[in-house]
Amino acid sequence: MELTQVRKIFYPVLAAVAIPVNLLVILILMRGRCGLSRCITCYLTAMASADLTVIFTDVIMNHIIPLYSTTLFSNNITLCGLIDCLTHAAKDLSVWFTVAFTFDRFVVICCQKLKIKYCTWRTAVIIIGAVTVLSCLKNIPWYFRYKAVYLVYIPLFCMVKPSYYTSSLWKAFSFFHHASTPLLPFVLILLLNALTVRNISLANRARRRLLVDCDRDRNKDPEMENRRKSIILLFSISTSFILLWMTEAVYTIHERITLNHITDRLFKTRLPFIIGYIGPMLQLLSSCSNTCIYVTTQNKFREEFKNVLTYPFVVIIEFINKGDYSDN
């Protein structure tokens, strides 16, 4: 199967799965019945909303539509720049909301004095709002990356300006962009997780000493159980993010250093050429991976997910039963 055919199958399937799944996640979290604090719920809702935005901007507008229609957006310079801005902003939001969530969990576990003031719903809203504004402002330059190619006075398609690859200003902006997303988040997430593991290990050792005379098989420590669940959720989201973004990050850095995006498309060098398409596919999988993590790690979320999925069928059955009773 050729790569184009794989893409024509992958992106529509991803959109068909990720859109309803993320909408379900947002609905479940907004119901507030998952046993999570308002602070965590706020971050997870923001992450699901950002993932949903990525699906609309990157998957649908940037991949699905160009695969099936070459004229809808490709000859409009305004739409080319606007879609590019929205796509990069949505990716930034998805990445930095993950970092914000990781930092929040780090504060909860490792900074008991700061926890009371920082880990609140109000702070979460402020952080999410600030990240949203900064991400939108940061990605405005992408709008000016394109120029239109004309046949006489008829616009044929949008093309990336040659100065994007040669200008020192564009190189500096590109370096800043890729350093802030996702290289800096990689470092921050790994560092915060390492400090969190160290703190939990020390706390668990101290707690075991206090409980040395207790029967651990009969009396489970609820504090250690809560820490275990929090760390499983945190590490699952962080690990998934790093693994799915790694290929795209490495390829992008290699592309900017060697300008292989030009030579690959001229000479079809297979390995970088294929990785250039596989990387975005893996990265976009992260837009629905968090839902799988919630379902597998959180019991109450799993129950709510089942309830939401089965609710329409329950309503139909109740309606049928009421109809049978009225006939009798």
Side-chain angles (χ1 to χ4, degrees):
M1 186 180 292
E2 293 184 359
L3 191 57
T4 303
Q5 294 176 332
V6 173
R7 294 170 67 210
K8 285 186 175 181
I9 295 172
F10 174 80
Y11 289 116
V13 170
L14 177 62
V17 172
I19 290 175
V21 161
N22 280 297
L23 288 174
L24 276 175
V25 170
I26 294 171
L27 176 62
I28 292 169
L29 291 171
M30 291 180 68
R31 283 160 60 93
R33 299 179 182 178
C34 300
L36 302 172
S37 67
R38 293 181 68 195
C39 179
I40 297 178
T41 300
C42 193
Y43 281 116
L44 296 183
T45 303
M47 291 164 63
S49 301
D51 290 341
L52 188 62
T53 307
V54 170
I55 294 298
F56 281 116
T57 57
D58 201 356
V59 176
I60 295 177
M61 293 185 178
N62 215 22
H63 287 94
I64 294 178
I65 292 178
L67 280 173
Y68 293 95
S69 174
T70 58
T71 59
L72 186 59
F73 294 148
S74 61
N75 60 356
N76 190 315
I77 190 69
T78 301
L79 286 177
C80 287
L82 184 60
I83 291 171
D84 209 18
C85 287
L86 293 174
T87 299
H88 284 92
K91 289 180 181 180
D92 276 10
L93 290 176
S94 180
V95 170
W96 282 99
F97 285 161
T98 303
V99 175
F101 171 74
T102 304
F103 183 75
D104 180 84
R105 295 299 87 197
F106 165 77
V107 172
V108 167
I109 295 171
C110 303
C111 308
Q112 295 301 315
K113 292 182 179 179
L114 183 61
K115 171 184 173 181
I116 299 174
K117 293 183 178 180
Y118 182 82
C119 300
T120 63
W121 177 84
R122 179 183 175 84
T123 302
V125 171
I126 293 173
I127 295 295
I128 290 168
V131 170
T132 302
V133 172
L134 291 175
S135 295
C136 292
L137 293 175
K138 173 204 163 202
N139 290 287
I140 289 176
W142 292 113
Y143 179 85
F144 304 99
R145 186 168 65 146
Y146 293 94
K147 73 173 185 177
V149 176
Y150 292 89
L151 177 62
V152 190
Y153 295 105
I154 301 173
L156 296 178
F157 56 88
C158 299
M159 184 183 75
V160 176
K161 295 176 180 178
S163 60
Y164 173 72
Y165 305 109
T166 57
S167 168
S168 299
L169 192 61
W170 272 114
K171 286 181 179 179
F173 173 75
S174 181
F175 175 80
F176 168 72
H177 173 75
H178 293 111
S180 61
T181 306
L183 297 183
L184 181 58
F186 280 179
V187 174
L188 290 175
I189 287 174
L190 291 173
L191 177 62
L192 292 171
N193 284 347
L195 293 174
T196 303
V197 169
R198 178 178 176 275
N199 185 275
I200 288 177
S201 298
L202 294 174
N204 286 347
R205 289 176 190 172
R207 201 162 184 86
R208 287 193 188 99
R209 294 193 194 100
L210 295 174
L211 299 174
V212 68
D213 296 328
C214 298
D215 189 346
R216 294 174 193 163
D217 294 330
R218 295 181 182 177
N219 301 305
K220 291 185 177 180
D221 185 6
E223 180 66 23
M224 292 181 68
E225 187 67 18
N226 289 335
R227 288 178 182 174
R228 186 184 69 83
K229 291 180 179 179
S230 296
I231 207 66
I232 288 174
L233 177 62
L234 173 63
F235 279 13
S236 298
I237 292 176
S238 302
T239 304
S240 170
F241 163 72
I242 290 175
L243 291 178
L244 293 175
W245 272 80
M246 184 63 72
T247 303
E248 171 72 358
V250 172
Y251 178 80
T252 301
I253 295 170
H254 180 253
E255 178 184 79
R256 291 301 297 174
I257 293 174
T258 64
L259 293 180
N260 72 310
H261 52 283
I262 297 174
T263 58
D264 286 347
R265 281 151 182 76
L266 289 175
F267 303 106
K268 303 292 184 181
T269 309
R270 295 312 301 170
L271 183 59
F273 184 72
I274 292 174
I275 292 176
Y277 286 105
I278 293 177
M281 291 181 181
L282 292 175
Q283 174 231 302
L284 289 170
L285 276 177
S286 63
S287 61
C288 59
S289 63
N290 286 342
T291 304
C292 301
I293 293 170
Y294 303 153
V295 170
T296 54
T297 61
Q298 302 293 308
N299 293 331
K300 290 186 178 181
F301 185 92
R302 185 162 55 246
E303 293 174 4
E304 283 295 306
F305 194 77
K306 291 178 181 178
N307 292 337
V308 171
L309 289 178
T310 57
Y311 180 75
F313 301 101
V314 173
V315 172
I316 293 172
I317 293 172
E318 290 180 353
F319 179 77
I320 295 173
N321 291 336
K322 287 181 181 179
D324 291 340
Y325 289 137
S326 61
D327 292 338
N328 295 331

